Amino acid sequence: MAASQFGIRIATLLTGLLECIAFSGLIFGWTSLVFVLKSDGYFEDLCEQPLVNQTSNATGHAECSAQDSQLSLIFTLASFSNNFMTFPMGYIFDRLGTTVARLIAIVLYAGATFLVAVSSAGTAPMLFAAFPMLAVGGILFLLTNLQVGNLFGKHRSTIITLYNGAFDSSSAIFLIIKILHERGLKLRISFFILCAFSIWHLIRTFFLMPRRHIPYPLPANYSYGIDCSRKADKSQEVKDEEVDKGEVELRQEASDLSPDLQKDAVMIPSFRSCVLSWRFFWHLIWLSSMQLWHYLFIGTLNPMLNHLADRNQDLGFPESMADLHSTYPSLALTSLLCLSFSICASIPSLQLQYLTFILQVISRSFLYGGNAAFITLAFPSQHFGKVYGTYMMLSALISLLQFPLFILIKGPLHGDPLYVNIGLILFTLFSFVNPYFVSRQWRLQKNHE
């Protein structure tokens, strides 16, 4: 490998990591941004009484159920879009390549940050469009960056997990915006700055990312990136065509074999067979059960803390089956972490919530990192975008339950989430079926051999 190409690969890795940390998962810092939006009076006009006469909560602002409901609904729509739209975006990524997918991501990201920057309390409904756009743009940044792991061979799963951890860490950006807002920096200035970074995303798209895809396994002398001359583009097109042609020839050769020999041929499973497999189903349950917990926790965090603190203003915050079997410990540990987080969140102790926050952050990183790593090992790389998108789309349908659960907690349960939490803990137990199923498949194949 030429030194220049090695340098490009390292630059791609590091800038991709920065992109995931700073821009891809912003929506999951929603809890911090809610403080800012309330401070600036978003949806304040929906409150039935003047805010000065209402009970103050732990944020230092008056509590208003109608305002909380609107802000929770925005997060529900954004988190739903984050997952549901991953399937069509994954299809576009698989079909049209990296450049097209990233340009769509940049348009969504720039449009979203611009809408928030120009919004105000009087135009608060604009947030219903802005934050779903921000969520979809962010997940597209992550999706196009996951293929960077293919550049580093045996370290592929490590890099994919690292990128997913960075995706979760980007929720800290809204916390930084909250801190800056408390020190006098207006919300619109922060989002205009985020919008300006679209130029950086464009530069990275054209100079540090492939036009189509990064294949796996990586062909010898594979190159991409800064050399944008017509010759380089043509060379890349030839490489992409050769990969596609090779797959077609492989399928044709296998179909020409006799039935006895076809079983020994290397066949790429169809996308339909991937989605209809038990392996897909149990991993979907594994992902959905824990994701619903995380989304509900983020969306109801402020009201939950107010309930525990009794509205105290002094509250403070101190490729083979063997390869697939290697994911078993990660799947099981993730389920165990989420179960522990769920139990802690269900215990009505304010002091215990410090541990809950820690477990929630660790669990989320394991959840999405393990999810992406499992998909790369369990299904053909040709279907990665579609399979990943299908998982996120179907799990998004289940995550829609967070809003009716929020209404249930705020209404009939009078702010006490205990019974909802117990039900979700029981649902979380189903996630342990997935690691058991993977381990069982491995044992059956081993005994068969």
Side-chain angles (χ1 to χ4, degrees):
M1 183 198 310
S4 61
Q5 272 300 310
F6 178 75
I8 291 175
R9 292 184 186 184
I10 295 298
T12 299
L13 172 66
L14 296 179
T15 56
L17 186 62
L18 177 61
E19 188 171 75
C20 289
I21 289 177
F23 307 103
S24 59
L26 301 181
I27 189 62
F28 297 108
W30 179 253
T31 301
S32 298
L33 194 66
V34 164
F35 287 82
V36 179
L37 296 175
K38 285 188 173 183
S39 176
D40 285 356
Y42 284 79
F43 300 109
E44 194 175 270
D45 58 310
L46 298 178
C47 300
E48 296 179 359
Q49 307 174 37
L51 290 184
V52 293
N53 295 328
Q54 296 187 36
T55 305
S56 293
N57 62 22
T59 67
H61 302 290
E63 183 174 9
C64 172
S65 295
Q67 184 185 41
D68 288 341
S69 295
Q70 290 299 303
L71 294 172
S72 178
L73 181 58
I74 290 174
F75 177 74
T76 298
L77 293 175
S79 57
F80 171 77
S81 301
N82 176 78
N83 289 352
F84 189 83
M85 292 302 295
T86 307
F87 175 72
M89 294 299 104
Y91 180 83
I92 290 173
F93 173 57
D94 284 346
R95 186 82 175 180
L96 302 178
T98 302
T99 299
V100 173
R102 287 184 59 85
L103 289 176
I104 293 173
I106 293 168
V107 169
L108 290 172
Y109 168 84
T113 51
F114 180 78
L115 282 177
V116 178
V118 299
S119 70
S120 64
T123 57
M126 291 172 62
L127 303 186
F128 283 100
F131 285 103
M133 290 170 60
L134 185 66
V136 176
I139 198 66
L140 255 179
F141 282 143
L142 175 65
L143 187 62
T144 56
N145 276 314
L146 291 179
Q147 62 181 328
V148 173
N150 296 345
L151 295 171
F152 298 92
K154 63 181 181 179
H155 303 295
R156 179 173 63 147
S157 294
T158 302
I159 292 172
I160 289 173
T161 304
L162 180 65
Y163 273 15
N164 277 274
F167 173 80
D168 286 322
S169 300
S170 64
S171 60
I173 299 299
F174 280 175
L175 175 60
I176 295 173
I177 289 176
K178 172 183 177 290
I179 294 172
L180 293 175
H181 184 270
E182 291 171 347
R183 284 159 175 74
L185 186 66
K186 293 184 177 180
L187 180 67
R188 65 173 62 242
I189 301 300
S190 296
F191 273 85
F192 272 130
I193 292 173
L194 289 176
C195 186
F197 272 100
S198 300
I199 299 173
W200 182 78
H201 296 306
L202 283 171
I203 293 173
R204 186 168 182 271
T205 297
F206 290 110
F207 293 96
L208 289 176
M209 294 295 286
R211 192 172 65 85
R212 296 285 298 175
H213 302 96
I214 300 175
Y216 186 84
L218 203 64
N221 300 321
Y222 175 77
S223 62
Y224 70 96
I226 292 178
D227 185 3
C228 295
S229 65
R230 182 177 300 178
K231 179 179 179 181
D233 286 343
K234 184 176 180 180
S235 175
Q236 182 61 50
E237 288 177 3
V238 170
K239 289 177 183 177
D240 291 332
E241 290 173 0
E242 288 177 351
V243 171
D244 294 338
K245 183 178 179 182
E247 292 173 4
V248 173
E249 290 177 349
L250 184 61
R251 289 179 179 271
Q252 183 63 42
E253 291 173 1
S255 64
D256 292 339
L257 295 175
S258 64
D260 292 335
L261 294 178
Q262 280 188 13
K263 63 182 181 181
D264 296 325
V266 179
M267 293 291 291
I268 300 174
S270 67
F271 171 65
R272 184 173 182 272
S273 67
C274 292
V275 173
L276 295 180
S277 66
W278 281 107
R279 176 184 296 174
F280 182 94
F281 174 78
W282 285 117
H283 189 69
L284 176 64
I285 297 298
W286 178 87
L287 173 65
S288 300
S289 61
M290 291 183 282
Q291 182 172 263
L292 177 59
W293 246 118
H294 288 291
Y295 284 178
L296 182 66
F297 181 78
I298 295 172
T300 62
L301 179 59
N302 288 329
M304 183 266 288
L305 291 177
N306 294 336
H307 176 78
L308 292 180
D310 293 326
R311 299 179 177 87
N312 181 1
Q313 289 190 35
D314 296 327
L315 170 62
F317 289 88
E319 322 272 329
S320 61
M321 194 62 213
D323 291 331
L324 185 61
H325 183 254
S326 67
T327 66
Y328 164 76
S330 175
L331 296 174
L333 179 59
T334 303
S335 297
L336 186 61
L337 282 169
C338 187
L339 181 63
S340 302
F341 147 67
S342 305
I343 293 173
C344 288
S346 303
I347 298 175
S349 169
L350 188 61
Q351 289 73 25
L352 188 61
Q353 300 314 306
Y354 292 109
L355 177 60
T356 303
F357 298 151
I358 295 172
L359 289 174
Q360 196 264 346
V361 171
I362 297 174
S363 177
R364 270 187 59 83
S365 296
F366 271 76
L367 176 62
Y368 291 109
N371 174 51
F374 178 87
I375 294 173
T376 61
L377 294 172
F379 303 103
S381 61
Q382 290 82 356
H383 302 314
F384 175 79
K386 295 186 291 293
V387 172
Y388 186 89
T390 303
Y391 268 122
M392 302 306 285
M393 179 181 69
L394 294 177
S395 64
L397 296 175
I398 297 178
S399 72
L400 282 176
L401 290 173
Q402 63 181 295
F403 188 68
L405 290 176
F406 173 82
I407 298 300
L408 177 64
I409 293 171
K410 295 287 288 184
L413 298 181
H414 305 292
D416 186 356
L418 179 61
Y419 294 110
V420 171
N421 290 348
I422 292 174
L424 290 177
I425 288 175
L426 295 177
F427 186 35
T428 302
L429 293 176
F430 282 101
S431 68
F432 286 93
V433 176
N434 188 40
Y436 167 77
F437 182 75
V438 169
S439 181
R440 182 173 178 272
Q441 276 193 318
W442 177 78
R443 288 197 303 269
L444 289 175
Q445 186 179 46
K446 186 177 182 181
N447 293 336
H448 179 71
E449 294 174 352

